[in-house]
Amino acid sequence: WYQRRVRGRAVRRALPCYFQPPQSGVYIFISPDSVYDVCIKRHYGPTKETDSERPIDKAEYKTYAATDKYAHYKLLAEETLVSSGLNYLIFRSPDVIGAKDTSSKFWIYHMWIKYYDVLNTPIHMPFKVKELVSSYVYLDDLIAAIKEWYR
């Protein structure tokens, strides 16, 4: 119902191989861990691979999908890839950082903490992110893992 209406747009944006299979025989799709933000988590503790379960109720599905459009469309692309019949590998990664990271936010905080004694400027932590757990993967490590899997 809802998926059919948006599936064409989502797939064209996020999954071009659905219309033209990859020449290598395996489609490698790098997806963010934010896909779990549009899913139901039925336990406490760290996220598990099996936590990528969408709500069945239509209204609840729409509510979850609206909370994070990016995650919704990425998960929709994953679901389409899984049902496509293609050979695939889905890597769900945390935030990716690398030598040419243009966001700079990670590096600014890193340098601020590293040179705190020289800068003598307090680091203010917003209350809403005080308990936030964050994970990162270095781009070169992600590429190495894909190459290792592909061998």
Side-chain angles (χ1 to χ4, degrees):
W1 57 277
Y2 180 69
Q3 284 187 350
R4 281 185 297 234
R5 191 176 68 168
V6 297
R7 180 168 283 187
R9 285 188 310 221
V11 172
R12 281 185 195 91
R13 273 191 264 164
L15 196 58
C17 78
Y18 191 70
F19 300 101
Q20 183 176 1
Q23 293 178 357
S24 68
V26 177
Y27 188 85
I28 299 173
F29 187 66
I30 299 174
S31 194
D33 61 358
S34 63
V35 298
Y36 299 112
D37 295 341
V38 294
C39 297
I40 299 172
K41 186 173 180 180
R42 300 186 190 281
H43 63 88
Y44 294 101
T47 301
K48 299 176 183 176
E49 187 66 29
T50 55
D51 290 339
S52 60
E53 181 183 327
R54 296 237 200 205
I56 296 171
D57 178 71
K58 291 178 184 181
E60 195 177 10
Y61 179 99
K62 285 184 176 184
T63 301
Y64 272 78
T67 60
D68 187 336
K69 292 280 187 193
Y70 174 75
H72 165 68
Y73 284 116
K74 284 292 191 173
L75 186 55
L76 191 58
E78 282 187 26
E79 293 163 347
T80 304
L81 181 58
V82 168
S83 65
S84 71
L86 295 171
N87 292 325
Y88 64 88
L89 170 70
I90 298 173
F91 264 89
R92 285 198 189 130
S93 68
D95 292 336
V96 179
I97 58 173
K100 297 182 180 181
D101 186 351
T102 58
S103 70
S104 302
K105 62 185 171 191
F106 175 80
W107 300 113
I108 289 170
Y109 282 119
H110 175 77
M111 297 308 280
W112 193 358
I113 291 167
K114 185 173 181 172
Y115 295 107
Y116 171 77
D117 58 335
V118 175
L119 296 171
N120 200 20
T121 304
I123 300 170
H124 300 284
M125 184 64 65
F127 183 75
K128 68 179 183 178
V129 298
K130 181 181 176 189
E131 302 295 324
L132 180 68
V133 177
S134 187
S135 298
Y136 301 94
V137 64
Y138 188 62
L139 178 62
D140 292 352
D141 294 337
L142 180 60
I143 292 168
I146 292 170
K147 285 180 177 178
E148 182 65 29
W149 173 86
Y150 199 69
R151 284 186 206 177

